[in-house]
Amino acid sequence: MFGAKKLHEFLEYPKSRVVVNSDAEPFAREGKSIFAKFVIDIDINIRANEEVLIVNENDDLLAFGKSLLNANEIKDLKTGQAVKTRKGGKL
C-alpha cells in the first residue's frame, strides 16, 4: 500500500493508471477485480501483467493491482476482467 501511495504521488496523471467509473468505485475499494466495461480511461502504455494504480475520475487512489490485458485490449474489448486488484480500501 505504501508503495502505491508513493507512486500515485510521484507519477503524473495518467501514468500507470486505470480510471474507473463511479459504478466500479466501491468494488475497487473492496479489493474486487475491475472489469473492462467500467474502465473510462487508461494509460495507453500499460501492458498485460503490469502493476497499475486504480483511480476514480478525480484521480483519487482507490486500489492497486495487476493488469490482465494491455491498454488497447481493455479499451476495445469492453468485456471481461481487466485488472486483478491486489489491495483496495483506504489508501
Side-chain angles (χ1 to χ4, degrees), residues 47-77:
R47 298 173 297 191
N49 296 315
E50 190 171 293
E51 295 296 321
V52 296
L53 303 171
I54 302 166
V55 299
N56 63 13
E57 295 175 78
N58 298 322
D59 196 32
D60 299 323
L61 183 61
L62 305 173
F64 61 94
K66 184 167 95 170
S67 64
L68 300 176
L69 306 168
N70 69 41
N72 289 327
E73 292 170 332
I74 292 170
K75 286 168 50 177
D76 292 343
L77 294 179

Side-chain angles (χ1 to χ4, degrees), residues 6-7 11-13 20 24 32 34 40 42 44 46-47 50 59-61 65 75-76 80 82 84 86 90-91:
K6 287 297 178 189
L7 284 174
L11 297 174
E12 291 185 26
Y13 181 88
V20 297
K32 296 186 178 175
I34 301 301
I40 55 175
I42 189 168
I44 59 167
I46 289 177
R47 298 173 297 191
E50 190 171 293
D59 196 32
D60 299 323
L61 183 61
K75 286 168 50 177
D76 292 343
K84 175 146 179 69
R86 292 191 188 275
K90 191 161 187 158
L91 303 175

Side-chain angles (χ1 to χ4, degrees), residues 78-89:
K78 294 296 180 193
T79 61
Q81 192 175 4
V83 179
K84 175 146 179 69
T85 305
R86 292 191 188 275
K87 181 73 174 167

